[in-house]
Amino acid sequence: MTLNHNEVNLLNSAITDGNPNIYSLFSKKGKEIYFPSKGVLQQGNAAKGKRINATIGMAIEDNMRPMHLQSLDKWIPLDPLKVYPYAPSYGISPLRKRWQDLIKEKNPSLNSDISLPVVTNGITHALSIICYLFVNEDENIVLSDKYWENYDFIFQYGGKARLNLFNTFSQNGFDVASMEEKLEGKNKKQIMILNFPHNPTGYTISVNEAERITEILKKSADRNNKILVLLDDAYFGLVYEDGVLKESLFSKLAQAHPNILAVKMDGVTKEDYAWGFRIGFITYGCQSSTEALYKALEAKTAGAIRGNISSGPHLSQSLLLNALTSTSYSQEKKEKYNLLSTRYLVLKSTLEENREKYKPYFKPLPFNSGYFMCVQLNPGLDAEVIRITLLEKFSTGVIAIDSMIRIAFSSVSEKDIPTIFDNLYHACQMFS
Ligand SMILES: Cc1ncc(COP(=O)(O)O)c(C=O)c1O
């Protein structure tokens, strides 16, 4: 079948009528994608509730219930209707609405309209779908020089884009000036990824840095640059210090400027400790937008998902919806936050108490949130050699990244945290 130009044009007009700057951000593929409102899906929907429905590609029992196997069902205390049928490509509606409400609750300064979140198969998938929709080959993506390595796979190897890196830190904070340099020029398309709490460093910007970043982006947008800001909020909510940005930058950027499209990518993977559920969300926010524009963005997103995984798992979406509407949810989350926060504090005091002792070998990079922190090894020490030594001589596993060692305090019990650093110290001593 050929591309349905009519359907594509309807969506593209809704976007250009709402805000033509947003349309100019789409990739070639993104401009052409649509969610089919006709065809198999529409014909299937039209037949819902009819006495005989021979439309859907699922198997139905004679009593009209979804066919399923007892050996699966005995493990799942949910209505089979919420488990076995396909979920929509957009994700199930009550979950999308609930997640949107939660975004607003968790980001109280977000005052503008936002799209309804579209469900993805985890945050990696959200990033890949955004790459499909907005990134053309050879385009630049601005991000900090310390970054989650999967961005290489998604944007560089998958999207054939170029990563244009700025310094992550200057002294003890985010290198806002270095970021600004990458957003110079006018009348251009700019794409930037920001990830707080950050992987690998565990850093979240201060409230003041968030203000400065917002101002820089607005200034760039005033120069008629069209800016796509991708906010990878995988570790949202896990902030352990005062003065650090507790809300997502989305609150500011979704209402910053008609030339800025903010895309929030978040999910239950890290923040709700459900790594294997594979549920993420894509949510859009732009100062100048309309209901029809948001619907078109959602439709293009769902169209890209349809051509990629068809739809996400229904079972985990139903389970999650139950959790997110449960009365004990917030309390349970708080307990887990407290546990991670305690580990963070123990780690911080271990480093403070031993600052002079560790100084000849390594120093911590700024950290205040998330799952991780990094230490920078002093010149002459090889991170990979230290990692292997820690494994072989100290039975301790860490990640070596360039000349840094990344420590996931999220996965280590409080009592073992001082030991990690003691082991690291002794491993470094062996090579000095
Ligand atoms: C910054 C960041 N974004 C996204 C992800 C991936 O999330 P998901 O497992 O939901 O794909 C990770 C996982 O390590 C991450 O560190």
Side-chain angles (χ1 to χ4, degrees):
M1 272 193 290
T2 51
L3 191 69
N4 187 329
H5 290 287
N6 194 26
E7 296 236 44
V8 179
N9 289 342
L10 279 175
L11 288 185
N12 289 349
S13 312
I15 296 171
T16 36
D17 291 350
N19 181 344
N21 307 324
I22 291 184
Y23 182 70
S24 69
L25 287 170
F26 275 92
S27 65
K28 190 169 179 309
K29 280 192 285 185
K31 283 179 177 154
E32 287 182 352
I33 197 70
Y34 64 99
F35 192 78
S37 65
K38 301 191 177 62
V40 175
L41 294 180
Q42 186 268 335
Q43 292 174 29
N45 278 337
K48 265 189 192 156
K50 300 295 168 196
R51 192 174 67 78
I52 300 174
N53 180 356
T55 64
I56 36 175
M58 289 194 299
I60 305 291
E61 298 283 358
D62 291 345
N63 66 4
M64 304 305 279
R65 303 285 287 167
M67 211 172 261
H68 56 270
L69 303 180
Q70 196 43 39
S71 51
L72 276 177
D73 208 49
K74 68 179 180 189
W75 304 107
I76 308 174
L78 289 178
D79 179 345
L81 275 174
K82 297 185 172 171
V83 176
Y84 300 102
Y86 287 120
S89 298
Y90 289 81
I92 58 172
S93 298
L95 178 63
R96 298 177 65 204
K97 182 75 190 87
R98 181 74 189 124
W99 195 257
Q100 188 192 48
D101 290 344
L102 282 171
I103 288 179
K104 290 179 182 167
E105 266 172 43
K106 293 186 281 193
N107 297 280
S109 70
L110 174 66
N111 290 318
S112 59
D113 287 338
I114 56 172
S115 73
L116 210 51
V118 174
V119 178
T120 59
N121 200 33
I123 301 165
T124 308
H125 185 229
L127 288 153
S128 299
I129 289 296
I130 289 300
C131 184
Y132 176 111
L133 290 172
F134 294 100
V135 181
N136 285 314
E137 221 172 292
D138 289 330
E139 276 179 346
N140 274 319
I141 301 190
V142 173
L143 79 157
S144 60
D145 64 356
K146 301 187 197 319
Y147 62 89
W148 180 44
E149 46 107 38
N150 213 3
Y151 294 156
D152 283 334
F153 286 79
I154 299 165
F155 294 104
Q156 211 166 236
Y157 313 148
K160 298 284 169 217
R162 280 193 231 119
L163 303 187
N164 188 7
L165 307 178
F166 60 86
N167 269 340
T168 308
F169 294 124
S170 129
Q171 286 155 3
N172 275 332
F174 196 67
D175 196 340
V176 180
S178 177
M179 185 202 88
E180 184 169 22
E181 280 170 25
K182 299 287 177 188
L183 297 173
E184 279 171 354
K186 55 183 182 183
N187 306 322
K188 288 195 299 197
K189 172 177 173 184
Q190 296 178 331
I191 307 174
M192 182 161 80
I193 306 178
L194 291 170
N195 160 227
F196 306 114
H198 186 238
N199 179 4
T201 65
Y203 185 74
T204 293
I205 46 176
S206 66
V207 173
N208 181 269
E209 286 167 339
E211 293 291 344
R212 286 169 57 208
I213 290 172
T214 307
E215 281 318 305
I216 288 167
L217 285 164
K218 279 190 191 170
K219 271 200 315 201
S220 176
D222 280 340
R223 297 194 302 275
N224 200 33
N225 289 314
K226 315 288 185 295
I227 312 173
L228 179 76
V229 190
L230 307 179
L231 300 166
D232 179 342
D233 287 351
Y235 301 86
F236 181 83
L238 298 170
V239 167
Y240 313 117
E241 296 279 356
D242 291 334
V244 173
L245 188 72
K246 298 249 161 49
E247 291 189 26
S248 168
L249 253 186
F250 189 64
S251 300
K252 293 185 186 300
L253 299 180
Q255 51 204 7
H257 199 287
N259 282 357
I260 298 177
L261 176 63
V263 186
K264 179 169 171 47
M265 284 158 292
D266 53 13
V268 298
T269 310
K270 314 280 181 174
E271 74 166 279
D272 286 317
Y273 315 105
W275 305 275
F277 266 48
R278 308 316 300 144
I279 298 183
F281 298 89
I282 295 176
T283 310
Y284 299 97
C286 178
Q287 193 195 57
S288 173
S289 46
T290 58
E291 174 77 17
L293 185 151
Y294 280 143
K295 289 280 155 277
L297 291 177
E298 291 163 27
K300 279 185 177 283
T301 310
I305 290 171
R306 176 153 171 76
N308 179 255
I309 56 161
S310 178
S311 61
H314 202 159
L315 171 60
S316 47
Q317 291 184 50
S318 294
L319 288 171
L320 177 64
L321 179 63
N322 284 353
L324 296 183
T325 46
S326 134
T327 48
S328 55
Y329 170 71
S330 311
Q331 180 54 29
E332 290 164 27
K333 238 182 132 164
K334 193 157 188 349
E335 283 164 20
K336 302 299 174 203
Y337 168 88
N338 289 343
L339 183 62
L340 293 189
S341 173
T342 308
R343 290 181 189 166
Y344 164 82
L345 291 172
V346 170
L347 192 155
K348 200 175 138 189
S349 59
T350 305
L351 286 169
E352 271 163 18
E353 282 157 24
N354 296 285
R355 190 196 311 260
E356 288 309 310
K357 179 171 153 191
Y358 296 158
K359 214 170 172 181
Y361 308 108
F362 56 84
K363 72 161 198 299
L365 291 174
F367 70 105
N368 50 29
S369 57
Y371 277 24
F372 312 110
M373 63 83 60
C374 287
V375 299
Q376 175 72 56
L377 297 182
N378 286 357
L381 289 169
D382 182 320
E384 179 59 8
V385 171
I386 299 295
R387 181 184 75 83
I388 302 286
T389 308
L390 280 167
L391 275 181
E392 291 177 352
K393 302 259 189 294
F394 298 89
S395 192
T396 298
V398 294
I399 299 286
I401 307 172
D402 303 326
S403 56
M404 302 183 303
I405 297 285
R406 189 190 75 178
I407 293 163
F409 56 85
S410 57
S411 64
V412 179
S413 82
E414 185 187 327
K415 69 172 178 22
D416 288 329
I417 286 175
T419 317
I420 297 183
F421 288 96
D422 203 44
N423 292 349
L424 178 60
Y425 169 75
H426 285 110
C428 289
Q429 267 194 327
M430 291 168 64
F431 297 95
S432 298

